[in-house]
Amino acid sequence: MSIPNSQPVINLNAGIPIPQLGLGVYQAETGREAYEAVLTALELGYRHIDTASIYGNEVDVGRAVRDCGLPRNDVFVVTKVWTKDQGYDQTLRACERSLELLGLDHVDLYLIHWPKPDTRKDTWRALERLAREGMTRSIGVSNYTIRHLEQLMATANTPPAVNQVEFHPFLYQRALLDFCKKNDIALEAYSPLTRGERLNAPVIRAIAHKHGASPAQVLIAWCLTLGTITIPKTVQRARLAENFESIQLKLDAEDMEQLCSLDEGLRICWNPDELP
Ligand code: NDP
């Protein structure tokens, strides 16, 4: 994979580099909106796109990846198996279907979207097979707590490369981050912008002002500084550029301390804590 030098990259335990900043496309509307967002992102320098079968826009993501003029190997494509498709055979079929919609012969990372209690073990065995057969270059999970990861690692032949979870200063999952680091699992931060809910928080605004940056850039730079992968979503060209420029923003120790103290357990999305 050839990634522009200016981009920070994380090496996954599967031995594959992933661009640390990607584009998420949840709620990017199927059709023109999702297609153009991905195409514009790739034009601006993004090399990592995060979709899922449940987002309903794999067709558009795949078309943009194929139309963008970059070699396939230069774009890191992620998709996920949805909850109703979990189970061994169902997951093999779901991945095949996703590849068909994407129009690609493999993805770079395939994730279990949600730790469904009764099926996640068989689903993981299916992911291991998909990786062996080259349908995906690496495999991982999403919305897993430490407990779910421990259960998985106790029986898995291949450890997860990634755990994609909600993560921002208002939900600073420090114990989970430490656990992932210790076990060579890359933590991937979703909803890094709190879907806009905390962009106006006074600390965020003050740090943004200090650096001549935007609040969104501060939130993204916080994730990058902690060594996590992150996938802010936007479909607007100016924001795609703004978010991508977060790579240049260098937060100092004082900024990080202030941001890390904002944790309030805020959940924008779902909470997997109670799942057995
Ligand atoms: P984000 O925190 O990325 O916020 C997205 C929202 O912020 C959109 O409304 C967007 O609007 C707005 N926005 C984007 N950039 C800016 C900016 N610079 N200034 C102001 N507002 C901005 O939320 P998501 O929940 O979408 O998370 C990102 C990605 O993470 C998803 O797209 C998906 O790929 C993944 N995800 C995974 C989950 C999982 O269970 N595995 C769950 C949730 C998300 P607009 O588009 O109009 O610019």
Side-chain angles (χ1 to χ4, degrees), residues 26 50 142-143 164 191 193 195 233-234 236 239 243:
Y26 175 51
D50 183 90
S142 179
N143 295 298
Q164 183 181 113
S191 304
L193 306 177
R195 285 197 193 148
K233 176 263 176 183
T234 179
Q236 301 183 33
R239 286 178 174 176
N243 295 352

Side-chain angles (χ1 to χ4, degrees), residues 30-267:
T30 309
R32 204 186 158 111
E33 185 173 87
Y35 175 74
E36 287 188 353
V38 174
L39 210 55
T40 307
L42 294 170
E43 181 199 316
L44 291 170
Y46 289 78
R47 293 292 181 268
H48 166 185
I49 310 295
D50 183 90
T51 185
S53 63
I54 194 67
Y55 302 170
N57 53 23
E58 286 172 311
V59 164
D60 315 296
V61 168
R63 197 157 62 86
V65 168
R66 284 181 279 113
D67 288 356
C68 71
L70 291 163
R72 165 67 187 93
N73 288 349
D74 285 5
V75 186
F76 196 100
V77 179
V78 185
T79 194
K80 316 181 187 88
V81 54
W82 183 236
T83 311
K84 78 165 176 44
D85 295 326
Q86 283 204 33
Y88 189 78
D89 291 331
Q90 295 89 323
T91 297
L92 297 179
R93 280 201 297 275
C95 183
E96 217 168 276
R97 174 86 182 127
S98 283
L99 291 177
E100 226 173 80
L101 290 169
L102 285 159
L104 302 175
D105 63 5
H106 70 277
V107 286
D108 298 279
L109 175 63
Y110 196 53
L111 300 176
I112 298 183
H113 208 141
W114 178 251
K116 188 165 180 261
D118 52 332
T119 47
R120 63 178 182 254
K121 198 169 163 188
D122 289 338
T123 303
W124 187 254
R125 280 200 303 119
L127 261 61
E128 290 179 325
R129 175 167 163 186
L130 290 165
R132 276 199 307 277
E133 293 181 351
M135 321 273 268
T136 180
R137 293 172 71 220
S138 57
I139 53 179
V141 294
S142 179
N143 295 298
Y144 274 45
T145 63
I146 293 176
R147 193 162 34 80
H148 301 137
L149 290 171
E150 281 172 339
Q151 282 171 15
L152 171 63
M153 289 190 302
T155 55
N157 291 314
T158 308
V162 159
N163 185 22
Q164 183 181 113
V165 295
E166 182 171 344
F167 192 85
H168 42 69
F170 305 91
L171 182 65
Y172 177 23
Q173 304 198 59
R174 191 176 192 152
L176 180 61
L177 178 61
D178 288 346
F179 179 90
C180 286
K181 278 193 177 152
K182 221 180 286 160
N183 289 282
D184 204 12
I185 301 167
L187 189 143
E188 192 169 357
Y190 76 61
S191 304
L193 306 177
T194 66
R195 285 197 193 148
E197 278 199 25
R198 291 287 185 280
L199 285 179
N200 281 323
V203 172
I204 306 292
R205 290 176 69 97
I207 295 173
H209 181 73
K210 170 177 155 187
H211 291 281
S214 71
Q217 288 174 331
V218 170
L219 289 171
I220 296 166
W222 178 80
C223 290
L224 300 178
T225 307
L226 286 176
T228 69
I229 301 160
T230 191
I231 45 173
K233 176 263 176 183
T234 179
V235 292
Q236 301 183 33
R237 186 184 182 94
R239 286 178 174 176
L240 282 164
E242 175 188 329
N243 295 352
F244 195 64
E245 281 162 19
S246 310
I247 291 171
Q248 314 303 333
L249 174 57
K250 300 292 171 237
L251 298 174
D252 61 33
E254 192 193 350
D255 303 329
M256 288 304 286
E257 199 181 315
Q258 279 186 291
L259 290 165
C260 289
S261 69
L262 293 175
D263 186 22
E264 51 171 286
L266 173 73
R267 291 261 177 199

